[in-house]
């Protein structure tokens, strides 16, 4: 079964069709991904971020991490083109951690 999670700062077609959508300010995407990475790795502390302490965000994060852990090697973590390079690198690091070598293909930016 395919499942789509969307974390976005503005409504989009992707978010509208997502199974789970979390509205989050754009500058919080990096802390969110850092917290996700921490949940995917045992014994790694999540970064402290008051904005991510909201129970709604924590529940979303827990559900997402659970699904990603159950589907290692068969999932994709992607970020929008407007995110900075460091956020794209973080998503690539999470994909590598999940073993998504066969599901992620990198191409030149058009």
């Amino acid at each position: 079964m395919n499942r789509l999670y969307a974390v976005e700062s503005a409504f989009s077609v992707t978010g509208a069709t997502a199974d789970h959508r979390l509205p989050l300010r754009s500058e919080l995407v990096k802390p969110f991904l850092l917290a996700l990475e921490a949940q995917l790795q045992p014994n790694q502390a999540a970064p402290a971020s008051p904005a991510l302490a909201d129970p709604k965000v924590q529940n979303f994060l827990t559900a997402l991490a659970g699904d990603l852990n159950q589907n290692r090697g068969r999932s994709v973590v992607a970020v929008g083109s407007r995110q900075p390079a460091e956020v794209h690198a973080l998503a690539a690091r999470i994909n590598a951690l999940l073993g998504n070598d066969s599901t992620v293909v990198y191409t030149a930016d058009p």
Side-chain angles (χ1 to χ4, degrees):
M1 177 194 325
N2 293 328
R3 191 167 294 131
L4 176 61
Y5 289 81
V7 176
E8 58 184 7
S9 59
F11 286 108
S12 71
V13 174
T14 302
T17 60
D19 299 295
H20 306 279
R21 180 184 179 275
L22 177 67
L24 200 63
R25 291 190 335 254
S26 183
E27 68 272 10
L28 295 176
V29 172
K30 180 181 175 184
F32 180 87
L33 287 178
L34 289 168
L36 175 62
E37 181 182 39
Q39 283 207 10
L40 295 172
Q41 295 185 71
N43 304 321
Q44 181 170 333
S49 174
L52 299 182
D54 181 332
K56 181 180 176 181
V57 174
Q58 287 301 311
N59 290 339
F60 188 95
L61 191 57
T62 300
L64 175 57
D67 271 356
L68 289 172
N69 267 323
Q70 288 179 348
N71 293 286
R72 287 178 174 266
R74 298 176 296 159
S75 58
V76 173
V77 174
V79 297
S81 61
R82 293 185 179 145
Q83 287 293 325
E86 64 186 315
V87 175
H88 284 269
L90 182 54
R93 195 166 73 202
I94 291 171
N95 279 313
L97 173 68
L98 291 168
N100 291 339
D101 302 333
S102 64
T103 58
V104 177
V105 178
Y106 294 99
T107 60
D109 192 8

